[in-house]
Amino acid sequence: MFESFANVWTPVITAKELRKKPLSVKVAGETIALFRDGKGGVGALLDRCPHRGVALSLGQVDADGCLACPFHGWSFQKDGACAKIPLNTVAPEKRARYGATAVPVREIGGLVWIFTGPDPAGTEPEPPPALVEPGWHVGYTQEIWKTHWTRAMENMLDTPHLPYIHGKSIGKDVRKKLRPDTTLEMRIEPAPFGGLVYAKWDYEAEEKQILKWRKPNAMELQIMNEPKRRMCIQVYCIPVDEAHTKMMLISARTFFGAEFITWFATKFNNILGEDREVLETSNPPEVPPPGEEPSVATDAPTLFFRKYYFRELRSSTSTLVPTGRLVRRPDAQPEAEEAGMPDGAAVVH
Protein backbone atom coordinates (compact mmCIF):
# COMPACT_ATOMS: atom_id res chain seq x y z
CA MET A 1 0.00 0.00 0.00
CA PHE A 2 1.02 3.62 -0.58
CA GLU A 3 3.63 2.37 -3.05
CA SER A 4 6.73 4.62 -3.23
CA PHE A 5 5.19 6.99 -0.70
CA ALA A 6 5.02 4.91 2.46
CA ASN A 7 5.53 5.82 6.12
CA VAL A 8 5.40 9.60 5.78
CA TRP A 9 3.02 12.34 6.90
CA THR A 10 1.23 14.37 4.24
CA PRO A 11 -1.70 16.77 4.31
CA VAL A 12 -4.62 15.61 2.19
CA ILE A 13 -7.30 18.32 2.53
CA THR A 14 -7.91 21.53 4.44
CA ALA A 15 -9.71 21.10 7.75
CA LYS A 16 -12.55 23.33 6.57
CA GLU A 17 -13.39 20.91 3.78
CA LEU A 18 -14.30 18.15 6.22
CA ARG A 19 -17.68 18.90 7.78
CA LYS A 20 -20.60 16.63 8.61
CA LYS A 21 -20.46 14.64 5.39
CA PRO A 22 -17.67 12.04 4.97
CA LEU A 23 -15.16 12.66 2.20
CA SER A 24 -13.21 10.31 -0.02
CA VAL A 25 -9.61 11.21 -0.89
CA LYS A 26 -7.03 9.30 -2.89
CA VAL A 27 -3.40 9.30 -1.76
CA ALA A 28 -0.64 7.37 -3.52
CA GLY A 29 -3.18 5.06 -5.08
CA GLU A 30 -5.12 4.31 -1.88
CA THR A 31 -8.62 5.67 -1.26
CA ILE A 32 -9.32 6.99 2.24
CA ALA A 33 -12.65 7.83 3.88
CA LEU A 34 -12.39 10.87 6.15
CA PHE A 35 -15.10 11.77 8.66
CA ARG A 36 -15.72 13.71 11.85
CA ASP A 37 -17.13 12.04 14.92
CA GLY A 38 -19.77 13.70 17.05
CA LYS A 39 -17.14 15.71 18.92
CA GLY A 40 -15.39 17.11 15.85
CA GLY A 41 -12.49 14.66 15.90
CA VAL A 42 -11.22 13.27 12.60
CA GLY A 43 -11.24 9.62 11.58
CA ALA A 44 -9.54 8.07 8.55
CA LEU A 45 -10.39 4.59 7.30
CA LEU A 46 -9.58 2.79 4.09
CA ASP A 47 -12.60 3.54 1.95
CA ARG A 48 -13.70 -0.07 1.87
CA CYS A 49 -16.17 -1.75 4.20
CA PRO A 50 -14.75 -5.08 5.46
CA HIS A 51 -18.21 -6.68 5.08
CA ARG A 52 -18.85 -6.37 1.33
CA GLY A 53 -16.22 -3.95 0.11
CA VAL A 54 -18.31 -0.87 -0.71
CA ALA A 55 -17.13 2.71 -0.17
CA LEU A 56 -17.57 3.79 3.43
CA SER A 57 -17.38 7.44 2.33
CA LEU A 58 -20.88 7.06 0.84
CA GLY A 59 -22.24 6.42 4.32
CA GLN A 60 -23.19 8.74 7.15
CA VAL A 61 -21.91 9.54 10.63
CA ASP A 62 -24.41 8.16 13.15
CA ALA A 63 -25.51 9.56 16.51
CA ASP A 64 -22.58 7.85 18.23
CA GLY A 65 -20.01 9.51 15.96
CA CYS A 66 -19.29 6.33 14.00
CA LEU A 67 -19.13 6.01 10.22
CA ALA A 68 -22.02 3.82 9.06
CA CYS A 69 -21.67 1.86 5.83
CA PRO A 70 -24.32 2.77 3.21
CA PHE A 71 -24.89 -0.88 2.25
CA HIS A 72 -25.85 -2.73 5.45
CA GLY A 73 -25.38 -0.09 8.12
CA TRP A 74 -22.34 -1.58 9.81
CA SER A 75 -20.73 1.27 11.76
CA PHE A 76 -17.09 1.90 12.63
CA GLN A 77 -15.29 4.04 15.17
CA LYS A 78 -12.35 6.32 14.32
CA ASP A 79 -9.91 3.55 15.22
CA GLY A 80 -11.70 1.17 12.84
CA ALA A 81 -13.43 -0.87 15.55
CA CYS A 82 -16.82 -2.22 14.50
CA ALA A 83 -19.39 -0.60 16.77
CA LYS A 84 -22.65 -2.00 15.40
CA ILE A 85 -24.00 -4.66 13.05
CA PRO A 86 -27.72 -4.06 12.46
CA LEU A 87 -30.32 -6.83 12.23
CA ASN A 88 -28.02 -9.33 13.95
CA THR A 89 -27.27 -10.34 17.50
CA VAL A 90 -23.49 -10.31 17.53
CA ALA A 91 -21.45 -10.81 20.67
CA PRO A 92 -18.95 -7.98 21.33
CA GLU A 93 -15.95 -10.32 21.17
CA LYS A 94 -17.06 -11.55 17.75
CA ARG A 95 -17.90 -8.05 16.46
CA ALA A 96 -14.41 -6.96 17.47
CA ARG A 97 -13.02 -9.16 14.69
CA TYR A 98 -14.97 -7.26 12.01
CA GLY A 99 -13.19 -3.92 12.14
CA ALA A 100 -12.33 -1.61 9.26
CA THR A 101 -8.77 -0.51 8.45
CA ALA A 102 -7.76 2.70 10.19
CA VAL A 103 -5.12 5.15 9.00
CA PRO A 104 -3.21 7.43 11.42
CA VAL A 105 -4.68 10.93 11.08
CA ARG A 106 -4.13 14.36 12.63
CA GLU A 107 -5.71 17.81 12.32
CA ILE A 108 -2.92 20.38 12.66
CA GLY A 109 -2.39 23.85 11.23
CA GLY A 110 -5.74 23.98 9.46
CA LEU A 111 -4.95 20.79 7.52
CA VAL A 112 -5.94 17.14 7.80
CA TRP A 113 -2.86 14.90 7.64
CA ILE A 114 -2.55 11.15 7.25
CA PHE A 115 0.41 8.87 7.84
CA THR A 116 0.95 6.46 4.97
CA GLY A 117 1.75 3.50 7.15
CA PRO A 118 0.50 1.58 10.17
CA ASP A 119 2.44 3.38 12.90
CA PRO A 120 3.96 6.89 12.92
CA ALA A 121 6.31 5.69 15.69
CA GLY A 122 6.27 8.89 17.72
CA THR A 123 6.46 11.23 14.73
CA GLU A 124 3.98 14.02 14.07
CA PRO A 125 3.22 16.29 11.10
CA GLU A 126 5.51 19.34 10.95
CA PRO A 127 3.62 22.24 9.37
CA PRO A 128 5.40 25.54 8.70
CA PRO A 129 5.23 28.08 11.56
CA ALA A 130 2.81 30.31 9.64
CA LEU A 131 0.14 27.61 9.91
CA VAL A 132 0.32 27.26 13.68
CA GLU A 133 1.54 30.61 15.03
CA PRO A 134 -1.03 33.32 15.91
CA GLY A 135 -1.30 36.46 13.79
CA TRP A 136 -1.20 34.83 10.36
CA HIS A 137 -4.02 35.05 7.78
CA VAL A 138 -4.09 31.99 5.57
CA GLY A 139 -5.64 31.22 2.18
CA TYR A 140 -5.75 27.94 0.26
CA THR A 141 -6.16 26.84 -3.32
CA GLN A 142 -5.88 23.36 -4.85
CA GLU A 143 -5.69 21.85 -8.30
CA ILE A 144 -4.84 18.52 -9.93
CA TRP A 145 -1.84 18.19 -12.23
CA LYS A 146 -1.45 15.35 -14.73
CA THR A 147 2.05 14.42 -13.68
CA HIS A 148 3.89 12.40 -11.06
CA TRP A 149 4.34 14.16 -7.73
CA THR A 150 8.14 13.94 -7.95
CA ARG A 151 8.24 16.16 -11.05
CA ALA A 152 6.03 18.67 -9.29
CA MET A 153 8.18 18.62 -6.14
CA GLU A 154 11.38 19.12 -8.08
CA ASN A 155 9.84 22.06 -9.87
CA MET A 156 9.12 23.73 -6.53
CA LEU A 157 12.84 23.52 -5.66
CA ASP A 158 14.07 24.69 -9.04
CA THR A 159 15.20 28.33 -9.26
CA PRO A 160 16.79 28.39 -12.77
CA HIS A 161 13.37 28.19 -14.44
CA LEU A 162 12.16 31.49 -12.93
CA PRO A 163 13.15 33.87 -15.78
CA TYR A 164 11.77 31.47 -18.37
CA ILE A 165 8.49 29.96 -17.15
CA HIS A 166 7.73 32.92 -14.87
CA GLY A 167 9.31 35.68 -16.95
CA LYS A 168 6.13 37.77 -16.82
CA SER A 169 5.31 37.17 -13.14
CA ILE A 170 7.55 36.26 -10.19
CA GLY A 171 10.61 35.93 -12.46
CA LYS A 172 10.08 39.29 -14.15
CA ASP A 173 12.81 41.15 -12.25
CA VAL A 174 15.31 38.37 -12.81
CA ARG A 175 14.54 38.26 -16.52
CA LYS A 176 15.20 42.02 -16.82
CA LYS A 177 18.69 41.52 -15.38
CA LEU A 178 19.46 38.43 -17.43
CA ARG A 179 22.46 38.69 -19.77
CA PRO A 180 23.91 36.08 -22.15
CA ASP A 181 26.72 35.42 -19.65
CA THR A 182 24.64 35.55 -16.44
CA THR A 183 25.47 32.80 -13.94
CA LEU A 184 23.62 31.36 -10.99
CA GLU A 185 25.00 29.45 -8.03
CA MET A 186 22.71 27.00 -6.24
CA ARG A 187 23.16 24.80 -3.22
CA ILE A 188 21.06 22.98 -0.63
CA GLU A 189 22.00 22.55 3.00
CA PRO A 190 20.57 19.48 4.78
CA ALA A 191 18.27 20.22 7.72
CA PRO A 192 16.31 17.98 10.11
CA PHE A 193 13.06 18.83 8.30
CA GLY A 194 14.56 18.49 4.81
CA GLY A 195 16.81 21.21 3.44
CA LEU A 196 17.57 24.92 3.04
CA VAL A 197 17.97 26.11 -0.54
CA TYR A 198 20.42 28.94 -1.28
CA ALA A 199 20.89 30.94 -4.48
CA LYS A 200 23.23 33.67 -5.75
CA TRP A 201 22.90 35.44 -9.08
CA ASP A 202 26.15 36.95 -10.30
CA TYR A 203 24.75 40.48 -9.92
CA GLU A 204 24.12 39.91 -6.19
CA ALA A 205 26.69 40.55 -3.47
CA GLU A 206 25.97 37.40 -1.48
CA GLU A 207 23.90 34.26 -1.58
CA LYS A 208 20.46 34.18 -0.04
CA GLN A 209 18.52 31.41 1.64
CA ILE A 210 15.47 31.48 -0.60
CA LEU A 211 13.27 28.55 0.34
CA LYS A 212 12.87 25.42 2.43
CA TRP A 213 12.13 21.89 1.38
CA ARG A 214 10.06 20.02 3.97
CA LYS A 215 10.19 16.24 3.61
CA PRO A 216 8.69 14.59 1.77
CA ASN A 217 6.55 16.83 -0.43
CA ALA A 218 6.49 20.50 0.62
CA MET A 219 8.13 23.77 -0.31
CA GLU A 220 8.10 26.89 1.86
CA LEU A 221 9.01 30.27 0.37
CA GLN A 222 9.48 33.43 2.43
CA ILE A 223 8.38 36.38 0.31
CA MET A 224 8.44 39.17 2.90
CA ASN A 225 9.99 39.18 6.37
CA GLU A 226 9.65 42.65 7.87
CA PRO A 227 8.73 43.19 11.55
CA LYS A 228 5.11 44.08 10.79
CA ARG A 229 4.77 42.64 7.29
CA ARG A 230 5.51 38.97 6.82
CA MET A 231 4.36 36.85 3.93
CA CYS A 232 5.13 33.33 2.76
CA ILE A 233 3.70 30.57 0.61
CA GLN A 234 3.77 26.82 1.00
CA VAL A 235 3.10 24.27 -1.70
CA TYR A 236 2.33 20.61 -1.02
CA CYS A 237 2.70 18.12 -3.88
CA ILE A 238 0.33 15.35 -2.80
CA PRO A 239 0.42 12.14 -4.85
CA VAL A 240 -2.99 10.98 -5.99
CA ASP A 241 -1.80 8.13 -8.20
CA GLU A 242 1.07 7.52 -10.60
CA ALA A 243 -0.25 10.04 -13.10
CA HIS A 244 -1.87 12.74 -10.96
CA THR A 245 -0.78 15.12 -8.21
CA LYS A 246 -2.87 17.37 -6.01
CA MET A 247 -1.15 20.75 -5.70
CA MET A 248 -2.11 22.57 -2.52
CA LEU A 249 -0.93 26.18 -2.42
CA ILE A 250 -1.14 28.00 0.91
CA SER A 251 -0.59 31.74 1.18
CA ALA A 252 -0.01 33.28 4.61
CA ARG A 253 0.49 36.90 5.64
CA THR A 254 0.46 39.01 8.80
CA PHE A 255 -1.11 42.07 7.11
CA PHE A 256 -4.31 42.78 5.14
CA GLY A 257 -6.13 40.47 7.49
CA ALA A 258 -9.49 40.34 5.72
CA GLU A 259 -10.25 36.72 4.89
CA PHE A 260 -11.60 37.68 1.46
CA ILE A 261 -8.37 39.47 0.50
CA THR A 262 -6.28 36.47 1.46
CA TRP A 263 -8.61 34.11 -0.39
CA PHE A 264 -8.67 36.30 -3.51
CA ALA A 265 -4.88 36.70 -3.59
CA THR A 266 -4.42 32.94 -3.27
CA LYS A 267 -7.19 31.83 -5.61
CA PHE A 268 -6.11 33.99 -8.52
CA ASN A 269 -2.39 33.40 -8.16
CA ASN A 270 -1.51 31.95 -11.57
CA ILE A 271 2.02 30.86 -10.70
CA LEU A 272 0.95 27.23 -10.45
CA GLY A 273 -0.76 27.51 -13.82
CA GLU A 274 2.47 28.67 -15.46
CA ASP A 275 4.32 25.66 -14.02
CA ARG A 276 1.54 23.23 -14.80
CA GLU A 277 1.54 23.89 -18.54
CA VAL A 278 5.17 22.84 -18.77
CA LEU A 279 5.33 20.12 -16.09
CA GLU A 280 2.49 18.09 -17.57
CA THR A 281 4.68 17.46 -20.63
CA SER A 282 7.41 15.75 -18.54
CA ASN A 283 8.54 12.46 -20.02
CA PRO A 284 8.78 10.17 -18.19
CA PRO A 285 6.19 11.57 -15.74
CA GLU A 286 8.14 10.27 -12.72
CA VAL A 287 11.68 11.53 -12.14
CA PRO A 288 14.28 8.97 -13.23
CA PRO A 289 17.36 8.08 -11.12
CA PRO A 290 19.86 10.96 -10.76
CA GLY A 291 22.23 9.69 -13.44
CA GLU A 292 19.68 9.14 -16.19
CA GLU A 293 19.13 12.80 -17.15
CA PRO A 294 21.90 15.37 -17.76
CA SER A 295 22.38 17.68 -14.77
CA VAL A 296 24.47 20.78 -14.06
CA ALA A 297 25.54 22.72 -10.98
CA THR A 298 22.31 24.69 -10.72
CA ASP A 299 20.42 21.39 -10.35
CA ALA A 300 21.89 20.81 -6.87
CA PRO A 301 18.56 21.19 -4.96
CA THR A 302 16.57 19.00 -7.34
CA LEU A 303 19.28 16.32 -7.35
CA PHE A 304 19.26 16.40 -3.54
CA PHE A 305 15.55 15.68 -3.58
CA ARG A 306 15.91 13.04 -6.29
CA LYS A 307 18.53 11.15 -4.28
CA TYR A 308 16.29 11.28 -1.21
CA TYR A 309 13.35 9.92 -3.21
CA PHE A 310 15.24 6.94 -4.61
CA ARG A 311 16.99 6.25 -1.31
CA GLU A 312 14.01 6.47 1.05
CA LEU A 313 10.71 6.41 -0.85
CA ARG A 314 10.95 4.90 -4.34
CA SER A 315 10.63 1.28 -3.23
CA SER A 316 8.76 1.91 0.00
CA THR A 317 5.50 0.18 0.81
CA SER A 318 3.37 -0.39 3.89
CA THR A 319 0.78 -2.82 5.17
CA LEU A 320 -2.23 -1.64 7.13
CA VAL A 321 -3.95 -4.31 9.19
CA PRO A 322 -7.74 -4.17 9.67
CA THR A 323 -8.64 -3.60 13.30
CA GLY A 324 -10.48 -6.91 13.36
CA ARG A 325 -7.34 -8.89 12.61
CA LEU A 326 -5.72 -7.54 15.75
CA VAL A 327 -8.36 -9.35 17.80
CA ARG A 328 -8.64 -13.14 17.79
CA ARG A 329 -10.87 -15.28 19.94
CA PRO A 330 -8.74 -17.93 21.68
CA ASP A 331 -11.18 -20.77 20.87
CA ALA A 332 -11.90 -19.69 17.30
CA GLN A 333 -11.98 -22.43 14.69
CA PRO A 334 -9.15 -21.66 12.21
CA GLU A 335 -10.87 -23.44 9.32
CA ALA A 336 -14.09 -21.51 9.78
CA GLU A 337 -12.31 -18.19 10.10
CA GLU A 338 -10.15 -18.92 7.08
CA ALA A 339 -13.24 -19.57 5.01
CA GLY A 340 -14.91 -16.41 6.29
CA MET A 341 -17.74 -18.45 7.82
CA PRO A 342 -19.86 -17.48 10.84
CA ASP A 343 -19.20 -19.12 14.19
CA GLY A 344 -20.78 -22.56 14.36
CA ALA A 345 -20.92 -23.04 10.60
CA ALA A 346 -19.86 -26.46 9.39
CA VAL A 347 -16.77 -26.94 7.27
CA VAL A 348 -17.39 -29.74 4.76
CA HIS A 349 -14.42 -31.67 3.42
Side-chain angles (χ1 to χ4, degrees):
M1 299 180 65
F2 300 112
E3 301 296 326
S4 296
F5 198 73
N7 302 310
V8 293
W9 285 104
T10 181
V12 290
I13 60 171
T14 66
K16 289 184 178 180
E17 292 177 77
L18 186 59
R19 300 182 180 179
K20 293 183 178 180
K21 186 177 180 180
L23 291 179
S24 179
V25 298
K26 194 172 184 180
V27 182
E30 302 297 336
T31 308
I32 310 296
L34 299 173
F35 68 100
R36 291 193 183 277
D37 62 15
K39 299 179 181 179
V42 180
L45 307 175
L46 286 190
D47 200 4
R48 183 170 61 249
C49 180
H51 179 218
R52 291 296 182 262
V54 305
L56 289 171
S57 60
L58 295 178
Q60 297 179 341
V61 178
D62 64 21
D64 297 321
C66 298
L67 180 56
C69 176
F71 199 2
H72 296 96
W74 289 32
S75 63
F76 303 92
Q77 299 173 359
K78 290 190 301 182
D79 62 0
C82 183
K84 185 184 301 182
I85 299 178
L87 310 182
N88 292 267
T89 301
V90 183
E93 63 271 16
K94 179 180 179 181
R95 191 178 69 244
R97 305 198 305 273
Y98 295 161
T101 305
V103 178
V105 61
R106 301 286 188 274
E107 182 176 345
I108 300 176
L111 303 174
V112 175
W113 307 68
I114 68 163
F115 186 77
T116 57
D119 183 6
T123 66
E124 292 293 334
E126 297 184 12
L131 299 188
V132 293
E133 292 179 349
W136 288 88
H137 312 287
V138 182
Y140 307 87
T141 187
Q142 303 173 66
E143 60 186 45
I144 301 296
W145 285 8
K146 295 179 181 179
T147 191
H148 196 269
W149 79 272
T150 52
R151 290 289 193 185
M153 185 70 259
E154 277 198 348
N155 176 71
M156 294 297 115
L157 304 178
D158 185 274
T159 298
H161 78 271
L162 284 177
Y164 303 101
I165 293 182
H166 305 298
K168 296 181 179 180
S169 55
I170 59 173
K172 187 176 181 179
D173 291 341
V174 174
R175 189 172 183 88
K176 288 179 180 179
K177 299 175 183 178
L178 211 60
R179 307 182 313 272
D181 59 347
T182 296
T183 59
L184 170 65
E185 297 177 9
M186 296 291 305
R187 71 181 181 91
I188 184 167
E189 181 180 294
F193 55 80
L196 299 169
V197 177
Y198 293 82
K200 181 184 179 302
W201 298 90
D202 60 4
Y203 52 78
E204 295 177 322
E206 57 185 15
E207 70 172 5
K208 299 177 182 178
Q209 190 263 302
I210 57 171
L211 58 87
K212 297 177 181 179
W213 167 54
R214 293 187 177 273
K215 294 186 292 186
N217 60 336
M219 179 275 286
E220 179 183 354
L221 174 63
Q222 192 79 40
I223 297 176
M224 191 179 300
N225 195 22
E226 301 173 2
K228 295 184 179 181
R229 294 170 63 88
R230 299 168 65 191
M231 181 177 178
C232 63
I233 63 171
Q234 298 91 37
V235 179
Y236 288 93
C237 309
I238 306 165
V240 175
D241 52 35
E242 292 184 354
H244 298 87
T245 301
K246 177 192 284 188
M247 302 297 292
M248 179 186 291
L249 185 148
I250 306 172
S251 174
R253 67 184 73 203
T254 59
F255 55 97
F256 295 151
E259 184 175 344
F260 173 76
I261 294 177
T262 303
W263 173 85
F264 186 87
T266 307
K267 182 70 175 178
F268 294 97
N269 184 329
N270 192 43
I271 305 305
L272 284 183
E274 294 172 346
D275 287 313
R276 177 180 183 173
E277 183 178 2
V278 174
L279 264 291
E280 287 187 345
T281 70
S282 298
N283 187 19
E286 177 188 26
V287 298
E292 290 191 11
E293 289 181 335
S295 297
V296 291
T298 51
D299 294 318
T302 56
L303 286 175
F304 186 87
F305 163 75
R306 193 172 291 196
K307 290 175 182 178
Y308 157 82
Y309 173 66
F310 278 93
R311 182 180 67 248
E312 299 190 26
L313 285 184
R314 180 60 176 81
S315 299
S316 67
T317 188
S318 63
T319 301
L320 296 179
V321 180
T323 302
R325 292 187 186 175
L326 301 177
V327 180
R328 183 180 179 86
R329 195 181 66 192
D331 61 343
Q333 300 177 20
E335 292 184 6
E337 287 199 339
E338 183 177 336
M341 300 177 67
D343 287 357
V347 180
V348 180
H349 296 281

